[in-house]
Amino acid sequence: MSTTPDTLIQVRGLVNQFGTQRVHDGLDLDVRRGEILGVVGGSGTGKSVLMRSIVGLRPPDGGSVKVFGQQLDALDDRARRAIERRFGVLFQDGALFSSLTVGENVEVPLREYHPELDARQRDLIADLKVGLAGLPESAGDKFPSQLSGGMRKRAALARSLALDPDILFLDEPTAGLDPIGAAAFDRLIRTLRDALGLTVFLITHDLDTLYSICDRVAVLAERKVLVCAPLPEVEAFDHPWIRDYFHGPRGRAAQAATASQAVPDRQGTDR
């Protein structure tokens, strides 16, 4: 696998193991600047473990992970923190602090990485990020328990944007949302990518998300990345899991929905 100057994340020969269970064995993956990369795979293929290895939450048992050309586990604390502040992470279910308001949740990374900011400055930044995530200004004073599921996802997204990251890591961001809410969240991610120049690492099982916003898709199977390519190439890859996933009834429905949305756009009738 060749590396280009636009490669922000480079994973080579990654091994992750829990006891006698080897989740990844020689996994290779590149993530390119400015792309939305969808990561899919069956249950137990280690999608979230891969993300945690990349952001430095789990040291790999073998291989290497480089981000911005640096190997995190080889850096001192100061250099590592400088790279970590360029990440934004949305974990499964949001992982918001229930005892803090949305605004206070957004301020958590600001307090950690920007202690020089005063309370007013933190409030202003939190309000901006809440708005960027598509939430009303009033949401900043609410607790997570007072929000709908979709609003909690957006609140978690606002927190992940707090440090103006270069790379956004999203773990199942549309899980549990209704189709309308999921589609709106997908559009928001694409808009933020385009407006802010983000690179997005997106774990999902949502076929609609893959077809509507992902530039490439990486398929995890057999303890490695089986294929990482634009969707037409992934669909053509000969493997039982890919056939079942992309060519089953739900896959065909997602393809048809994407095609029907693309026709008006090409004709210019949706502008």
Side-chain angles (χ1 to χ4, degrees):
M1 182 180 290
S2 61
T3 302
T4 72
D6 284 335
T7 300
L8 294 192
I9 299 170
Q10 181 194 76
V11 181
R12 293 291 182 272
L14 181 68
V15 176
N16 276 310
Q17 189 163 333
F18 298 91
T20 59
Q21 180 187 7
R22 185 161 288 199
V23 180
H24 302 136
D25 190 3
L27 183 150
D28 294 339
L29 179 67
D30 285 348
V31 183
R32 302 168 182 165
R33 185 187 307 275
E35 76 173 340
I36 300 178
L37 176 72
V39 179
V40 299
S43 178
T45 54
K47 301 181 292 295
S48 296
V49 175
L50 172 59
M51 187 187 85
R52 289 174 176 272
S53 292
I54 293 172
V55 301
L57 292 176
R58 186 186 192 284
D61 296 300
S64 66
V65 177
K66 291 185 178 180
V67 187
F68 307 116
Q70 302 292 316
Q71 191 164 331
L72 289 184
D73 57 7
L75 300 176
D76 60 33
D77 287 345
R78 182 176 181 180
R80 181 179 175 131
R81 284 174 61 84
I83 288 183
E84 287 175 344
R85 64 193 287 178
R86 300 173 69 182
F87 299 159
V89 184
L90 192 161
F91 295 101
Q92 287 188 32
D93 303 320
L96 294 168
F97 296 105
S98 60
S99 61
L100 301 180
T101 66
V102 170
E104 290 168 341
N105 265 281
V106 176
E107 290 185 29
V108 167
L110 295 174
R111 290 176 181 273
E112 180 176 357
Y113 288 94
H114 289 290
E116 75 280 3
L117 297 175
D118 59 33
R120 181 176 177 277
Q121 290 171 320
R122 290 196 303 271
D123 285 343
L124 289 173
I125 293 172
D127 288 345
L128 173 63
K129 304 307 179 180
V130 167
L132 274 178
L135 289 170
E137 185 178 348
S138 59
D141 296 325
K142 296 183 182 297
F143 291 94
S145 62
Q146 297 174 299
L147 303 177
S148 67
M151 292 180 75
R152 282 196 297 273
K153 296 277 189 180
R154 290 174 182 258
L157 177 63
R159 187 178 62 184
S160 73
L161 294 170
L163 299 176
D164 297 325
D166 294 304
I167 307 175
L168 194 59
F169 294 89
L170 308 176
D171 194 349
E172 298 284 7
T174 59
L177 299 184
D178 63 84
I180 295 175
F185 198 95
D186 287 342
R187 290 193 297 271
L188 174 61
I189 295 302
R190 184 170 55 195
T191 298
L192 290 173
R193 187 278 303 269
D194 294 343
L196 303 178
L198 295 170
T199 299
V200 182
F201 181 98
L202 168 64
I203 298 171
T204 187
H205 67 276
D206 192 328
L207 282 157
D208 290 328
T209 296
L210 295 175
Y211 279 96
S212 60
I213 67 170
C214 291
D215 300 298
R216 292 191 303 149
V217 173
V219 178
L220 269 61
E222 302 174 8
R223 299 188 295 277
K224 61 184 180 181
V225 173
L226 202 63
V227 59
C228 183
L231 265 170
E233 295 179 40
V234 173
E235 292 169 349
F237 194 88
D238 187 18
H239 187 272
W241 190 87
I242 290 177
R243 288 196 299 271
D244 291 344
Y245 190 73
F246 288 100
H247 299 287
R250 294 181 65 187
R252 292 194 297 270
Q255 292 176 44
T258 303
S260 66
Q261 292 168 6
V263 170
D265 183 65
R266 287 195 299 268
Q267 294 175 342
T269 56
D270 65 339
R271 293 184 175 89

